Amino acid sequence: MSHLMSLPIVLLKDGTDKAQGKSQIIRNINACQIIVDIIKTTLGPRGMDKLIYNERDVTITNDGATVMNLLNISHPAASILVDIAKSQDDEVGDGTTSVVVVAGELLNEAKGLLNDGIEPNIIIDGFRTACNVVIKKLNELSLNFSNKNEEEKKNILLKCAQTALNSKLISNHKNFFATLVVNAAYQLGDSLDKRNVGIKKVTGGSCLDTQLIYGVAFKKTFSYAGFEQQPKTFSNPKILLLNVELELKAEKENAEVRIDNPNDYNSIVQAEWNIIFKKLKLIKDSGANIVLSKLPIGDIATQYFADNDIFCAGRVEDADMKRTANATGAVVQTSLLNLNKDILGECGKFEEVQIGNERYNIFKDCLKTKTVTFILRGGAKQFIEEVERSINDALMIVLRCINNAEIVPGAGSIEMQLSKALRVYSRSICNKEQIVLYAYAKSLESIPRYLSHNAGFDSTDILNKLRKKHSEKTSDVWYGVNCLQGDIINAYDHCIFEVTKIKRNVIYSATEAACLILSIDETIKNPSSANNAARSPYS
């Protein structure tokens, strides 16, 4: 009986791969470290770009979330870093590289602690305690500018946008693009809805040819004969937006009609023509000068509108229709039976213009402007796409800054202050947690370390200078890395600002990811059902 009790019990399917224990945690950390090694060189104003290509596309970027997505990471633990980068991008729009770097450094420090015999649960508890201490200190150091006048607020927003663009491909033109971004944010009004910002890309010209349209702009849609006879410029036009198809084929049905007299066929065809001309007359009588439709506008309708000095465009994208509606006050119609002046939109000027090799329809001086459109220019497709990502990051930062009105000086200065505060706090702890808090504090210094390293300077020398400055009680607390001259700089005096919400989210997300990976002590990989079926003796 005792012999039977000692037989092994098989719970998992044949072919299941299983790994567990401290060695598994370290393997997961090593996998994450490989990703961090790829990402960390993109940090800062002197960070390098990554070229990622597949069979179809080539992408050149230093945006952390974009790189993480394109790497197509399959390791289950390392994919957590992809998720936190995406979370950071969705929540605040920037700091995606920082969050991955900090999470990687936390894991690297944790690896050393694990090898020293400290249990994962103690490290996790220590990291969470450290996170709370650091967030509390961050809130104390945060600078609120809500009581500033409008001009000062706008100037702070410009500095925040410029700081975000410092590390981008267009850093040489950061003043130009930061001004466009801040103007765009102010134009959105109280809604601050990013969906009302359109970005169109036209290859050719200089990046300084980029335009900001206070209204809507979209590429000329497919058009039929007769379009060239339509007017291409209007002042104070009435705009009609439709979700109606203006083509003969729209009236056809999959039905069978039997007739006894051949003359009846002509009446059926004529009825179809009467229907579309009735629709066109209703549009003309509404007083609309411009007709846009999500659905096709055929050759008959195009010629009719040309004869009546009306501009039309069919197959307009849904996003462009929504932004046109917001900007002009027009209401999209699905029927033509109740057209009146209340559903028509208005704008100061409409024109069709040539931009590069494309024709664009532009609605300017909209009376209900809550939307803007960037028309990006540049010499190469990859360059324009990176400009789009850069503007997206800067715009998200400005919008978050308007909402929260809290900033902290950047250049690694805030991380040095938080690290110092945590080291001081750790001295009040008398157990193993003190070592964990110290390791967390060291991880925060990774940001200024990589900022200086990526700029090509001695990171150890610069960090020593920063530690000395931040330890002096009489010293200014806002000293960070000068990436251009390889020295330290007062980030506050030089107006290098970052949004507090970005830093807060970086710390929360990085800590959460590190604790999650440290809590995984066993990985079980089940074989796919297809493989099971192939191995099954009953198949």
Side-chain angles (χ1 to χ4, degrees):
M1 187 68 178
S2 61
H3 175 69
L4 291 174
M5 290 294 288
S6 64
L7 288 174
I9 299 171
V10 179
L11 293 177
L12 304 177
K13 291 179 181 179
D14 182 34
T16 300
D17 184 20
K18 188 170 78 165
Q20 61 184 358
K22 187 184 293 184
S23 61
Q24 179 58 28
I25 300 176
I26 291 174
R27 274 201 291 269
N28 287 340
I29 292 174
N30 290 340
C32 295
Q33 207 59 49
I34 294 170
I35 296 171
V36 175
D37 288 342
I38 296 171
I39 288 288
K40 68 186 182 184
T41 57
T42 68
L43 185 70
R46 304 296 291 274
M48 303 300 285
D49 293 343
K50 304 295 177 185
L51 188 150
I52 304 169
Y53 69 94
N54 55 29
E55 294 176 355
R56 291 172 296 175
D57 298 316
V58 173
T59 304
I60 300 172
T61 182
N62 69 354
D63 180 67
T66 305
V67 173
M68 297 291 279
N69 280 329
L70 293 175
L71 285 177
N72 199 16
I73 295 160
S74 60
H75 191 282
S79 62
I80 293 169
L81 296 185
V82 180
D83 292 338
I84 63 167
K86 185 177 185 303
S87 165
Q88 181 78 11
D89 196 39
D90 293 342
E91 182 66 20
V92 285
D94 198 22
T96 51
T97 302
S98 298
V99 73
V100 175
V101 167
V102 173
E105 285 297 311
L106 287 172
L107 290 171
N108 194 39
E109 292 295 325
K111 181 179 172 182
L113 297 174
L114 286 169
N115 288 330
D116 289 341
I118 298 178
E119 289 300 315
N121 286 334
I122 294 176
I123 299 173
I124 291 170
D125 291 342
F127 278 1
R128 286 179 176 151
T129 301
C131 180
N132 293 333
V133 172
V134 166
I135 292 295
K136 184 180 177 182
K137 183 65 177 177
L138 177 65
N139 293 336
E140 291 174 8
L141 293 172
S142 183
L143 309 172
N144 193 302
F145 63 90
S146 56
N147 57 350
K148 303 279 187 183
N149 63 45
E150 203 60 37
E151 186 178 346
E152 288 176 318
K153 283 183 182 178
K154 191 168 185 178
N155 191 44
I156 289 172
L157 293 175
L158 276 170
K159 298 302 180 186
C160 287
Q162 287 171 10
T163 303
L165 295 172
N166 259 335
S167 61
K168 306 298 182 184
L169 203 61
I170 50 176
S171 58
N172 289 340
H173 308 296
K174 63 182 180 182
N175 293 339
F176 172 77
F177 284 100
T179 303
L180 291 185
V181 166
V182 173
N183 289 343
Y186 269 88
Q187 201 67 28
L188 293 178
D190 297 331
S191 69
L192 296 178
D193 189 348
K194 187 174 165 291
R195 289 175 297 182
N196 289 334
V197 178
I199 297 181
K200 303 298 179 182
K201 295 169 281 191
V202 183
T203 306
S206 162
C207 65
L208 295 177
D209 293 331
T210 294
Q211 302 177 46
L212 177 64
I213 306 295
Y214 296 122
V216 183
F218 54 84
K219 192 165 74 171
K220 172 182 171 290
T221 60
F222 176 83
S223 56
Y224 289 91
F227 176 82
E228 295 305 325
Q229 300 168 33
Q230 294 178 359
K232 303 298 188 298
T233 304
F234 288 97
S235 293
N236 302 312
K238 301 294 183 181
I239 302 159
L240 176 63
L241 305 183
L242 299 175
N243 190 12
V244 178
E245 191 173 16
L246 298 176
E247 280 194 297
L248 280 173
K249 67 176 184 178
E251 315 307 335
K252 293 180 180 177
E253 298 291 342
N254 293 324
E256 183 179 336
V257 179
R258 295 188 180 185
I259 54 176
D260 297 325
N261 186 345
N263 293 331
D264 292 342
Y265 178 74
N266 186 53
S267 64
I268 294 171
V269 173
Q270 193 60 44
E272 197 172 14
W273 280 75
N274 290 340
I275 290 170
I276 191 167
F277 275 113
K278 181 181 178 183
K279 288 182 177 180
L280 297 175
K281 188 173 186 306
L282 287 170
I283 292 172
K284 176 191 168 188
D285 293 343
S286 71
N289 307 112
I290 298 170
V291 180
L292 305 181
S293 178
K294 292 182 185 179
L295 299 175
I297 295 178
D299 49 357
I300 296 169
T302 301
Q303 189 61 59
Y304 182 91
F305 289 139
D307 294 341
N308 290 278
D309 292 332
I310 297 172
F311 176 90
C312 73
R315 296 190 179 96
V316 178
E317 291 184 11
D318 185 55
D320 292 327
M321 286 288 280
K322 286 179 179 176
R323 289 191 301 107
T324 304
N326 286 337
T328 63
V331 181
V332 178
Q333 299 296 298
T334 55
S335 168
L336 298 171
L337 299 179
N338 191 27
L339 301 183
N340 57 67
K341 64 179 182 179
D342 295 332
I343 57 93
L344 297 177
E346 295 178 300
C347 72
K349 186 176 182 181
F350 167 82
E351 58 183 343
E352 183 178 297
V353 298
Q354 186 82 22
I355 301 178
N357 198 34
E358 306 285 356
R359 299 287 293 177
Y360 266 76
N361 298 326
I362 298 178
F363 298 80
K364 292 182 178 178
D365 304 325
C366 299
L367 301 180
K368 296 189 178 182
T369 301
K370 290 184 180 178
T371 182
V372 292
T373 306
F374 287 93
I375 299 180
L376 306 182
R377 305 299 308 279
K381 176 187 170 188
Q382 290 81 7
F383 177 84
I384 298 178
E385 287 175 350
E386 180 64 0
V387 172
E388 180 185 12
R389 285 186 284 269
S390 303
I391 284 182
N392 175 70
D393 285 3
L395 183 63
M396 287 288 285
I397 283 171
V398 170
L399 294 179
R400 294 292 179 267
C401 202
I402 292 174
N403 278 329
N404 293 281
E406 287 184 333
I407 56 171
V408 287
S413 60
I414 185 65
E415 283 83 6
M416 292 301 298
Q417 269 298 302
L418 297 178
S419 178
K420 175 192 169 184
L422 191 54
R423 287 175 200 270
V424 171
Y425 176 81
S426 69
R427 293 178 196 136
S428 66
I429 308 295
C430 58
N431 54 29
K432 288 181 182 178
E433 199 173 87
Q434 183 189 81
I435 305 171
V436 180
L437 296 180
Y438 190 87
Y440 194 105
K442 189 178 176 185
S443 299
L444 291 174
E445 291 183 350
S446 61
I447 298 297
R449 186 189 309 127
Y450 289 130
L451 283 176
S452 54
H453 180 77
N454 291 344
F457 302 113
D458 187 344
S459 57
T460 305
D461 183 43
I462 291 176
L463 270 177
N464 287 338
K465 287 181 180 179
L466 286 175
R467 288 192 190 110
K468 182 177 182 298
K469 272 289 182 186
H470 284 269
S471 66
E472 295 171 3
K473 293 182 180 178
T474 56
S475 170
D476 197 316
V477 299
W478 299 125
Y479 271 88
V481 182
N482 185 340
C483 295
L484 300 179
Q485 297 177 359
D487 203 352
I488 60 176
I489 188 175
N490 189 312
Y492 184 90
D493 292 346
H494 286 78
C495 299
I496 304 171
F497 294 125
E498 296 188 61
V499 182
T500 305
K501 188 170 183 179
I502 290 178
K503 293 300 176 188
R504 193 181 293 126
N505 210 66
V506 164
I507 293 164
Y508 271 134
S509 298
T511 307
E512 184 181 291
C515 291
L516 182 60
I517 290 168
L518 289 170
S519 67
I520 301 167
D521 74 336
E522 185 166 359
T523 302
I524 301 169
K525 181 181 179 183
N526 281 321
S528 66
S529 57
N531 291 341
N532 287 337
R535 278 198 298 267
S536 173
Y538 304 105
S539 60

